Amino acid sequence: MKIKVNENFSNIADSYLFSDINKKIKAYKEKNPNADVIRLGIGDVTLPLSSVVIDALTKASLEMGNKDTFRGYPPEYGYDFLKEAILNYYKRFDVNLSMDSIFASDGAKSDLGNIVDILGDNDVYIPNPVYPVYLDSNIMSGRRVHFINGSKENNFLPMPNVNYKTGVYYLCSPNNPCGAVYNYEQLKEWVKFAKFTGSLIIFDSAYEAFIKDRNLPHSIYEIEGAKECAIEICSFSKQAGFTGLRCGYTIVPEELMCGDYSINKLWKRRQATKFNGVSYPVQRAAEAALSDTGIKECQKNIEYYMENAHALSKLFDEKGIYYTGGKSSPYIWFKCPNNMDSWSFFEFLLKEANVVGTPGVGFGTQGEGYFRITSFGTHEKTKEAIERLRKIL
Ligand code: PLP
């Protein structure tokens, strides 16, 4: 062919992290067929959907099979019933949203990747380490990317810096992979900085439902002025176990203006052109997840995962190993012992304890020497893994 392709794709690093991990486990098991390998690298939920969600999903699916209740294309921005449920959910954090600022999506990943469509040629600032979608989607569209570094010094919560200029800033809290959560003061500083420099914050709150500490913000809109400088992207994936159902939402406040341009209008235009909405049964299921009973049931699953997280954190406390996360997040991010690099520690853990996690360097160069484990396994497997880790750490 003689057409031109988007050559920016050649600038994205190939994503081999999880396939490399799987290859290493496979090779190890071939050599040690009796090894009982425990996976603490799981980034997906493992508990089934709650009964409230399943009931709503079933009822809505049956409606689709009846002439009187059948529904065709959903509204591009989401049904009002779901938007109202989201609006009411935010009232729990004393945040008042307008219906027009809420956009239902098929998950946070799509909107995090698509948001670049409405933004021009800006400098883009991305945490290092972090969930890789922000970086890859910006490189695909040829943006100038700078890193804002996480480290032990800032507890993996990068803060504004005099060297940072006007641009688009991605923040993830609770953070994947580090599990760290920004507090009110830190987010206030970010909002102040964004307003002072005329920057936009893209705030990924996919794990907000894991926050238990009342002193930590669930939404950037809990900070005064944030509606003038931030887009928030959230998901039902981890809150309600929707990784297989697919539903999320994006908040683009009407207050977000860039000169004469309304960012809200640009996003509406983008979605109306390129997105045809989330299926009716899935939106009903998401609505049910945000009902009082739905929230209670979903929180039970989160509590199950958090029991694992707390048990794992206790081990690192006991061993005096530096870590972040595990308190308001399903992730625990720790310093590899004896200054091992991330992959050497992966090998060591697999060989000595038959336990698998994720090398921190896979989330950015600043993750070298660190390691991520997750709390999405069963209590039994996690307990067993902790006993094995206790012996080798
Ligand atoms: N944001 C973060 C920080 C994530 O870790 C993930 C998934 O792991 C997502 C977004 C994607 O969420 P969704 O399943 O809604 O696409």
Side-chain angles (χ1 to χ4, degrees):
M1 275 199 294
K2 290 186 179 166
I3 59 146
K4 289 182 181 152
V5 297
N6 181 348
E7 290 179 5
N8 293 319
F9 274 66
S10 54
N11 298 326
I12 316 167
D14 281 318
S15 171
Y16 291 133
L17 179 63
F18 291 99
S19 66
D20 280 354
I21 289 174
N22 286 334
K23 268 188 221 152
K24 283 182 191 286
I25 299 172
K26 195 169 164 234
Y28 183 78
K29 278 193 149 181
E30 271 164 16
K31 274 199 202 147
N32 306 276
N34 296 326
D36 170 24
V37 175
I38 300 180
R39 286 175 172 253
L40 288 187
I42 313 166
D44 197 351
V45 292
T46 49
L47 293 172
L49 292 160
S50 79
S51 61
V52 181
V53 167
I54 288 298
D55 289 348
L57 192 61
T58 311
K59 184 168 170 274
S61 304
L62 292 173
E63 282 176 43
M64 296 295 268
N66 181 318
K67 189 166 127 332
D68 297 328
T69 48
F70 168 78
R71 304 203 187 205
Y73 284 121
E76 296 102 339
Y77 313 135
Y79 281 108
D80 278 355
F81 63 75
L82 177 57
K83 296 208 287 179
E84 257 162 44
I86 294 167
L87 186 145
N88 286 327
Y89 183 66
Y90 270 72
K91 285 190 182 151
R92 291 172 168 249
F93 322 133
D94 287 330
V95 172
N96 287 313
L97 298 176
S98 72
M99 288 287 276
D100 258 13
S101 67
I102 304 170
F103 298 82
S105 72
D106 62 355
K109 190 178 194 173
S110 315
D111 283 3
L112 284 164
N114 292 331
I115 203 78
V116 289
D117 276 10
I118 62 163
L119 303 172
D121 184 22
N122 298 294
D123 283 289
V124 178
Y125 292 79
I126 295 179
N128 177 3
V130 89
Y131 180 56
V133 173
Y134 320 149
L135 176 63
D136 290 351
S137 56
N138 276 285
I139 293 193
M140 280 174 189
S141 42
R143 300 294 151 84
R144 287 183 305 280
V145 171
H146 312 270
F147 289 109
I148 51 178
N149 286 342
S151 63
K152 195 174 171 187
E153 284 64 48
N154 57 22
N155 276 323
F156 289 92
L157 290 168
M159 292 303 294
N161 172 315
V162 282
N163 299 319
Y164 299 165
K165 307 277 184 281
T166 304
V168 177
Y169 285 78
Y170 286 76
L171 300 180
C172 181
S173 178
N175 183 281
N176 179 12
C178 309
V181 189
Y182 282 112
N183 63 28
Y184 283 97
E185 289 311 311
Q186 290 168 320
L187 280 192
K188 265 187 209 161
E189 251 188 76
W190 270 113
V191 168
K192 192 170 151 201
F193 167 83
K195 291 187 75 175
F196 182 71
T197 55
S199 297
L200 172 71
I201 293 172
I202 297 177
F203 190 75
D204 182 347
S205 59
Y207 296 91
E208 66 74 25
F210 286 78
I211 297 177
K212 287 290 148 304
D213 185 340
R214 284 180 176 276
N215 297 315
L216 295 172
H218 290 249
S219 161
I220 194 157
Y221 303 124
E222 289 179 65
I223 310 301
E224 206 185 317
K227 284 188 182 162
E228 288 140 46
C229 63
I231 289 175
E232 182 158 297
I233 300 185
C234 197
S235 171
F236 290 95
S237 282
K238 308 291 157 77
Q239 172 183 15
F242 273 48
T243 52
L245 270 192
R246 312 301 309 139
C247 195
Y249 54 88
T250 291
I251 314 290
V252 188
E254 283 106 333
E255 289 88 336
L256 272 181
M257 294 297 296
C258 198
D260 289 339
Y261 285 103
S262 151
I263 303 271
N264 176 280
K265 282 197 182 140
L266 293 181
W267 185 244
K268 275 195 179 123
R269 193 71 186 86
R270 191 265 167 218
Q271 290 300 79
T273 304
K274 295 195 184 179
F275 185 60
N276 244 348
V278 182
S279 81
Y280 173 67
V282 169
Q283 291 199 52
R284 280 292 185 201
E287 179 197 24
L290 293 183
S291 66
D292 287 343
T293 329
I295 292 174
K296 262 191 215 135
E297 283 200 10
C298 294
Q299 279 295 329
K300 272 191 212 149
N301 285 1
I302 290 183
E303 276 159 26
Y304 181 93
Y305 299 135
M306 288 313 292
E307 274 182 44
N308 288 339
H310 292 145
L312 286 160
S313 313
K314 256 175 80 183
L315 173 73
F316 292 100
D317 285 333
E318 186 187 307
K319 294 280 179 184
I321 295 173
Y322 171 79
Y323 71 98
T324 54
K327 307 265 187 297
S328 288
S329 151
Y331 299 122
I332 292 144
W333 173 260
F334 62 94
K335 176 100 182 72
C336 303
N338 304 322
N339 285 327
M340 261 188 255
D341 64 64
S342 301
W343 277 109
S344 304
F345 183 69
F346 174 92
E347 305 275 359
F348 170 77
L349 203 58
L350 178 59
K351 200 164 148 251
E352 302 300 326
N354 289 178
V355 170
V356 175
T358 314
V361 70
F363 298 97
T365 48
Q366 286 289 113
E368 182 57 284
Y370 284 85
F371 207 74
R372 188 192 79 170
I373 52 177
T374 82
S375 61
F376 290 121
T378 62
H379 281 172
E380 297 69 32
K381 291 278 181 201
T382 307
K383 230 170 129 185
E384 168 66 23
I386 290 171
E387 289 319 312
R388 294 187 197 171
L389 289 172
R390 183 169 279 119
K391 288 189 194 128
I392 62 147
L393 287 177

